[in-house]
Amino acid sequence: MSAPSRILLAVYPIFFLSGVSGLLYQVVWVRWFGRIFGNTLYSASLVTAVFMGGLGLGGYLGGVLVDRLHARRGHAFPLKLYARAEVAIAGLGLLLAFLLPSLEPFSASISAYVTDARGWHHLTA
């Protein structure tokens, strides 16, 4: 088995675990934002929009960057760049884990529920 094939066999599980952790982040953020916004519909919409926007923007900008750097620095550099990005995402996830609970009192102080004519409660800012 050639060296690039062995590298690919080692990288595939890492990509799989990266995707699983991204889905876990989504679930956790929907739950936390549900506590902040008081409704899971708003939190799910926000998390999905940010996640999909990040995938699109990151895919485009990351592809352009990797194409340029690959030509200059060789085959291994894009993989090193990906590893650095994963470490940065993990750090951001930890930061948000500590930041989100402190946003709950702030959200409660600037928003309230009002009842409409049909008896439904709506979140207002």
Side-chain angles (χ1 to χ4, degrees), residues 33-68:
F33 286 152
R35 293 180 66 191
I36 293 168
F37 294 121
N39 189 336
T40 359
L41 176 66
Y42 298 128
S43 64
S45 300
L46 178 67
V47 169
T48 303
V50 169
F51 191 80
M52 297 306 274
L55 281 176
L57 186 65
Y60 176 74
L61 295 177
V64 169
L65 177 67
V66 166
D67 285 344
R68 289 180 183 170

Side-chain angles (χ1 to χ4, degrees), residues 5-6 17-18 45 48 50 68 80 91 117 124:
S5 297
R6 284 186 295 219
L17 292 173
S18 172
S45 300
T48 303
V50 169
R68 289 180 183 170
K80 291 177 184 176
T124 61

Side-chain angles (χ1 to χ4, degrees), residues 60-85:
Y60 176 74
L61 295 177
V64 169
L65 177 67
V66 166
D67 285 344
R68 289 180 183 170
L69 293 176
H70 175 67
R72 286 188 223 155
R73 297 190 180 189
H75 296 292
F77 189 74
L79 194 55
K80 291 177 184 176
L81 187 63
Y82 176 76
R84 290 180 186 144

Side-chain angles (χ1 to χ4, degrees):
M1 182 177 288
S2 67
S5 297
R6 284 186 295 219
I7 290 172
L8 282 178
L9 286 177
V11 168
Y12 286 147
I14 293 170
F15 287 157
F16 175 77
L17 292 173
S18 172
V20 168
S21 65
L23 292 173
L24 288 173
Y25 275 139
Q26 279 186 312
V27 170
V28 168
W29 289 341
V30 166
R31 304 283 257 168
W32 273 106
F33 286 152
R35 293 180 66 191
I36 293 168
F37 294 121
N39 189 336
T40 359
L41 176 66
Y42 298 128
S43 64
S45 300
L46 178 67
V47 169
T48 303
V50 169
F51 191 80
M52 297 306 274
L55 281 176
L57 186 65
Y60 176 74
L61 295 177
V64 169
L65 177 67
V66 166
D67 285 344
R68 289 180 183 170
L69 293 176
H70 175 67
R72 286 188 223 155
R73 297 190 180 189
H75 296 292
F77 189 74
L79 194 55
K80 291 177 184 176
L81 187 63
Y82 176 76
R84 290 180 186 144
E86 286 293 327
V87 169
I89 290 168
L92 182 63
L94 285 173
L95 177 69
L96 282 174
F98 291 107
L99 180 67
L100 286 177
S102 65
L103 291 179
E104 192 174 349
F106 172 72
S107 175
S109 70
I110 65 168
S111 62
Y113 282 99
V114 295
T115 307
D116 66 7
R118 296 176 299 184
W120 290 95
H121 295 288
H122 296 277
L123 185 63
T124 61

